[in-house]
């Protein structure tokens, strides 16, 4: 459904922005990822990507998608060194405080699990043995190498390895974080992961068939040609029962009672990357028919 045409609103670091948000008195515009504010009222991009505007939330941000930046760089015929830098920064995930991520256990040490955060340049992330809900030395989870966990970034610094925790620090409860048993992992772009998390605050959710309904903004597009990110999950939730966890690092975990449903949900989310809300709903209906569900 998506053709590799040249994107029309991709920007480069330092470009002058013409922000298409109505400027009313006493209103605030939120500058999201990829933008920097220079007082008093100047906003400049600091990464290459696609400029998106959500007028309802009065927010602007830059989607850093490696494939679309690559197309744009080819169109501009940039020098190879610039091309490589731009496409690399568009694909990697940089840990930020409180981000939910999906990580993989490498090994266990005396007090920590050593983990890998996929799509991140950080070689190792540390998960304390007691960073789980009501965990003690006797009751803490026993995780083996290769186990998958849904965690939150509790420490992020360019001078140190990131640290993780598998509970909500505000409540002390698990809050959907913890070990992800069975299921399958799917790769999505960092921009798609951000839209999924912003759209429904998806942590680890058990979605019953028919339990998910639209919120009045169904099918709403943000300027930039992308949907708000929630339509595909809403449509799947109307027709299928499954569990889902979305990591800000571009990983989505899906589990259900049968493999066909898991594959169908994962394929729909992956392939809805560049689709509008209505196109996402059409894709879900086609995939459900294709898988015979």
């Amino acid at each position: 459904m998506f053709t590799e045409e040249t994107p029309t609103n991709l920007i480069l670091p330092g470009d002058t922005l013409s922000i298409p948000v109505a400027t009313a008195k006493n209103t605030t515009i939120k500058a999201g990822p990829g933008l920097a504010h220079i007082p008093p009222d100047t906003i400049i991009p600091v990464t290459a990507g696609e400029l998106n505007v959500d007028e309802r939330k009065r927010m602007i941000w830059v989607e850093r998608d490696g494939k679309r930046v690559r197309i744009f760089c080819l169109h501009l015929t940039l020098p190879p060194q610039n091309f490589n830098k731009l496409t690399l920064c568009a694909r990697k995930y940089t840990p930020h405080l409180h981000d939910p991520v999906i990580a993989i256990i490498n090994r266990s040490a005396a007090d920590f699990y050593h983990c890998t955060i996929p799509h991140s340049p950080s070689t190792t992330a540390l998960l304390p043995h007691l960073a789980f809900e009501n965990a003690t030395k006797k009751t803490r989870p026993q995780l083996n190498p290769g186990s998958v966990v849904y965690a939150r970034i509790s420490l992020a610094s360019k001078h140190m390895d990131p640290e993780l925790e598998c509970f909500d620090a505000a409540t002390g409860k698990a809050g959907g974080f913890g070990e992800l048993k069975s299921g399958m992992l799917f790769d999505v772009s960092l921009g798609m992961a951000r839209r999924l998390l912003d759209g429904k605050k998806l942590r680890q959710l058990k979605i019953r068939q028919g339990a998910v309904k639209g919120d009045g903004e169904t099918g709403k597009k943000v300027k930039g040609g992308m949907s708000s990110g929630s339509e595909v999950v809403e449509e799947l939730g109307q027709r299928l029962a499954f569990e889902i966890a979305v990591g800000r690092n571009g990983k989505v975990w899906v589990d259900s009672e049968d493999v066909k449903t898991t594959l169908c949900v994962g394929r729909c989310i992956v392939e809805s990357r560049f689709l509008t809300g209505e196109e996402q709903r059409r894709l879900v209906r086609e995939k459900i028919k294709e898988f015979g569900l």
Side-chain angles (χ1 to χ4, degrees), residues 6 14 25 42 44 65 69 94 106 113-114 121 128 135 146 151 155 157 172 205 211 231 255 258 264 286 290:
T6 303
K25 201 171 184 179
T42 302
I44 62 170
D65 187 286
V69 172
T94 302
N106 286 339
Y113 290 109
H114 291 259
L155 174 64
S157 169
L205 295 183
E231 293 87 349
D255 190 26
D258 60 273
C264 179
E286 291 174 356
E290 177 184 330

Side-chain angles (χ1 to χ4, degrees), residues 33-251:
L35 298 172
H37 174 232
I38 300 178
D41 56 1
T42 302
I43 296 177
I44 62 170
V46 294
T47 60
E50 185 173 11
L51 180 66
N52 281 258
V53 180
D54 190 329
E55 293 185 353
R56 181 173 61 88
K57 296 181 179 179
R58 304 193 62 79
M59 180 176 179
I60 59 175
W61 70 93
V62 178
E63 294 285 8
R64 298 186 299 168
D65 187 286
K67 183 177 180 181
R68 291 175 76 82
V69 172
R70 181 179 293 272
I71 296 169
F72 188 50
C73 292
L74 288 173
H75 177 69
L76 294 179
T77 61
L78 293 178
Q81 61 271 23
N82 294 344
F83 171 84
N84 292 334
K85 290 178 183 177
L86 290 174
T87 54
L88 177 62
C89 75
R91 288 195 298 266
K92 70 178 182 180
Y93 164 73
T94 302
H96 292 284
L97 192 64
H98 301 247
D99 274 359
V101 296
I102 293 178
I104 300 173
I105 302 295
N106 286 339
R107 60 186 177 87
S108 177
D111 298 310
F112 296 90
Y113 290 109
H114 291 259
C115 310
T116 297
I117 302 177
H119 303 161
S120 171
S122 302
T123 56
T124 302
L126 302 177
L127 173 62
H129 288 167
L130 302 183
F132 296 83
E133 181 184 10
N134 299 327
T136 66
K137 289 186 177 181
K138 292 184 178 180
T139 63
R140 67 179 179 83
Q142 302 295 326
L143 303 178
N144 299 317
S147 297
V148 179
V149 294
Y150 193 43
R152 190 173 76 155
I153 304 288
S154 60
L155 174 64
S157 169
K158 64 181 180 180
H159 302 296
M160 301 172 61
D161 290 332
E163 288 191 13
L164 310 175
E165 60 186 12
C166 286
F167 64 93
D168 190 332
T171 63
K173 303 296 183 181
F177 296 110
E179 183 181 8
L180 300 176
K181 300 178 181 179
S182 65
M184 296 183 182
L185 287 176
F186 298 89
D187 287 322
V188 297
S189 69
L190 301 185
M192 182 64 180
R194 189 200 59 76
R195 294 198 302 277
L196 286 169
L197 287 165
D198 283 354
K200 282 295 179 183
K201 300 299 181 185
L202 290 180
R203 289 185 179 172
Q204 185 179 349
L205 295 183
K206 294 183 179 180
I207 299 180
R208 302 187 305 276
Q209 184 174 354
V212 179
K213 297 182 180 179
D215 58 0
E217 295 294 335
T218 297
K220 179 179 178 64
K221 288 174 57 180
V222 294
K223 290 186 178 180
M226 297 184 182
S227 74
S228 61
S230 61
E231 293 87 349
V232 63
V233 177
E234 289 176 0
E235 188 69 17
L236 286 166
Q238 287 288 335
R239 301 168 183 272
L240 303 172
F242 58 94
E243 293 182 59
I244 182 173
V246 180
R248 186 64 182 83
N249 56 323
K251 285 287 186 180

